[in-house]
Amino acid sequence: MTSLRLDYVALTDVGLRRSTNQDSGYASGRLIAVADGMGGAAAGDLASAEAMNIIRELDRDLPDIDPMDALGRAVTHANARLGELVRHDPSVEGMGTTLEAMLWDGERFATAHIGDSRAYLLRDGELRQVSADHTFVQSLVDEGKITPAEARVHPHRSLLLRVMLGRDDNEADFDWVEGQEGDRFLLCSDGLSDMVDHATMEALLGSETIDLAATELVRHALEAGGYDNVTVVIGELTDAAADLDDHLSSSDRRPQLVGAAADGPRARTGQDLGHGETADPVVSRQGAIDPEEIRYAPQPPSRWRWARRAAVLLVLVGVIAAASVYGYRWSQDQYFVAESDGRVAVYRGIQADIPGLTLNTVEQVTQLQTDTLPEFTARQVRDGIGASSRADARQIVTDLESFAPEPEPSPSPSESPSPSPSDDETSSALAAAGQVHP
Ligand code: CA
């Protein structure tokens, strides 16, 4: 069996739309890895750099340790480190990173995968995605609801179901991947896979050398818009006995570290990261909301989720209670004139029909019979006439009394009864007094 060597290249570009690179990439003869940090400009680069700096510690002799065990421990360690950073500085809560890592043991790769960064294999000219995205759209593809082509342009394609957040509830996938001579493995952030289609990727990854392939892939992502940071790490399995190609960047066999992990995460204003960095006030002036932050919106830390919901509920209940008290007090300052047992009465409160609720009480029942009023006016009374105050209500009653026939202690038969005012006159008289509601 041919002994195999891993040639490699790592390349990253901030892209055309972003001001910072939150991706990290690493490549060596043992390890290739990509981490795509998220959580906004404040923390995405910190998350990816911290995770990558822990993962790349695997790039050494690991005597008597199973590569998969070593990788598993490194991933657990990286996740714990993110949790520690969030506890130390709550302003970075919600930060996280994807991780794509392949550890070569001379015969096969131990791989770790979480998030939507991808691993591809180009073998015999054919490109195949080795990893399965931990995304909402991938779950739709798995259920047969949309096609992979539809997933690429889906509006929620960047929504992640799993990512390294420093918590216990997001597990990475671990697997062994066999390799053979001539295989080219491509690890990339979504800044590449979102911008360059599968066929183009397949053609470009087959370029004469892996260095040229990396350059061409990044260039195509930028030409397609370069909306995101784009990181490409390629490992190629070659015959270990073959001479090193002087034209390859890996011919010096030195590890290549790119992106946030190489630049060093920028310090957050007023925060000590525990590495002795000083705060950079420029960071805090980046006011715009980074769309990457939205990817985390559906996943607030579970321990706070219920507390936030409870707080919102409490505030709502408080608002409703305050409004009810205010509303009740307001209703009790209102008056109206209406009928009670056939007589004109002054009511306190408001006229409303709410089942189970009494919003008014009779304040005073007058001697005035509604029936004695002109028909139109009587109807107004039965419908209720609003008043602005108690005094106003009494004035309305006084006005109504003037429409009623005089008491008739000794009506003279010779006297013709004085004609009662017509409905129209009643209406206009009340209207003039400002008391009739239309
Ligand atoms: Ca990205």
Side-chain angles (χ1 to χ4, degrees), residues 12-74:
T12 192
D13 196 288
V14 69
L16 305 175
R17 304 293 179 91
R18 297 192 185 280
S19 57
T20 59
N21 195 340
Q22 300 177 37
D23 285 358
S24 294
Y26 185 82
S28 76
R30 280 197 193 92
L31 176 71
I32 51 176
V34 165
D36 176 355
M38 287 158 285
D45 56 344
L46 175 66
S48 99
E50 289 286 334
M52 186 57 78
N53 285 330
I54 288 169
I55 295 301
R56 70 190 177 97
E57 286 171 16
L58 290 166
D59 188 11
R60 59 190 162 85
D61 281 330
L62 300 165
D64 307 324
I65 303 178
D66 179 75
M68 191 64 89
D69 286 349
L71 184 59
R73 278 185 229 173

Side-chain angles (χ1 to χ4, degrees), residues 18 23 36-38 116-117 189-191 228-230 292 295:
R18 297 192 185 280
D23 285 358
D36 176 355
M38 287 158 285
D116 66 349
S117 295
S189 59
D190 63 342
D228 200 357
N229 308 142
V230 49
E292 290 279 297
R295 305 180 78 174

Side-chain angles (χ1 to χ4, degrees), residues 101-372:
M102 298 181 73
L103 182 62
W104 175 245
D105 75 350
E107 289 178 7
R108 55 185 182 166
F109 290 97
T111 70
H113 161 70
I114 185 166
D116 66 349
S117 295
R118 290 179 174 178
Y120 289 93
L121 166 62
L122 182 74
R123 180 178 286 174
D124 302 327
E126 216 170 279
L127 186 71
R128 181 168 68 85
Q129 187 179 335
V130 178
S131 59
D133 297 348
H134 295 150
T135 56
F136 171 66
V137 291
Q138 184 59 45
S139 70
L140 295 182
V141 171
D142 293 345
E143 290 166 21
K145 289 179 177 159
I146 60 172
T147 66
E150 287 166 339
R152 267 197 73 225
V153 294
H154 196 283
H156 302 307
R157 63 184 175 279
S158 57
L159 200 61
L160 293 164
L161 298 184
R162 266 197 273 168
V163 70
M164 193 186 289
L165 290 168
R167 305 192 328 233
D168 300 332
D169 55 352
N170 276 225
E171 300 262 322
D173 291 339
F174 294 94
D175 207 356
W176 291 103
V177 172
E178 304 290 333
Q180 63 188 50
E181 188 181 349
D183 281 352
R184 282 185 180 179
F185 289 92
L186 163 67
L187 307 187
C188 66
S189 59
D190 63 342
L192 178 74
S193 49
D194 269 1
M195 307 306 299
V196 181
D197 64 49
H198 192 91
T200 307
M201 235 190 261
E202 184 177 80
L204 296 177
L205 190 53
S207 299
E208 192 181 341
T209 65
I210 52 172
D211 285 36
L212 182 61
T215 308
E216 284 299 296
L217 286 165
V218 170
R219 189 169 70 80
H220 271 72
L222 298 181
E223 282 178 2
Y227 291 108
D228 200 357
N229 308 142
V230 49
T231 300
V232 168
V233 173
I234 304 172
E236 179 176 29
L237 293 174
T238 56
D239 184 346
D243 289 340
L244 290 167
D245 182 348
D246 285 348
H247 296 99
L248 289 184
S249 59
S250 63
S251 62
D252 62 5
R253 306 309 287 173
R254 288 169 56 166
Q256 298 177 14
L257 179 66
V258 298
D263 303 340
R266 294 155 304 118
R268 269 125 293 279
T269 305
Q271 299 293 340
D272 178 5
L273 298 178
H275 299 300
E277 290 103 332
T278 49
D280 177 3
V282 175
V283 175
S284 67
R285 288 202 290 270
Q286 294 179 336
I289 292 173
D290 191 318
E292 290 279 297
E293 291 190 51
I294 298 165
R295 305 180 78 174
Y296 284 88
Q299 306 186 60
S302 51
R303 71 199 145 105
W304 293 117
R305 198 183 292 143
W306 69 267
R308 281 177 194 160
R309 282 181 185 161
V312 166
L313 198 65
L314 215 62
V315 167
L316 268 178
V317 167
V319 166
I320 291 167
S324 303
V325 168
Y326 179 81
Y328 183 74
R329 282 190 187 152
W330 172 84
S331 75
Q332 296 311 298
D333 284 338
Q334 307 302 305
Y335 292 86
F336 63 98
V337 174
E339 190 179 42
S340 175
D341 284 331
R343 289 188 289 173
V344 172
V346 172
Y347 285 78
R348 181 179 183 172
I350 52 171
Q351 274 185 291
D353 288 317
I354 300 174
L357 261 186
T358 306
L359 292 173
N360 55 61
T361 50
V362 177
E363 172 122 320
Q364 180 201 357
V365 181
T366 67
Q367 297 302 312
L368 182 60
Q369 300 279 342
T370 315
D371 283 350
T372 62

Side-chain angles (χ1 to χ4, degrees), residues 333-337 346-347 385-400 430 433-437:
D333 284 338
Q334 307 302 305
Y335 292 86
F336 63 98
V337 174
V346 172
Y347 285 78
I385 301 169
S388 56
S389 63
R390 181 186 278 122
D392 190 27
R394 297 226 163 108
Q395 184 59 49
I396 291 170
V397 171
T398 305
D399 291 343
L400 289 170
L430 282 172
Q435 291 150 352
V436 171
H437 284 217

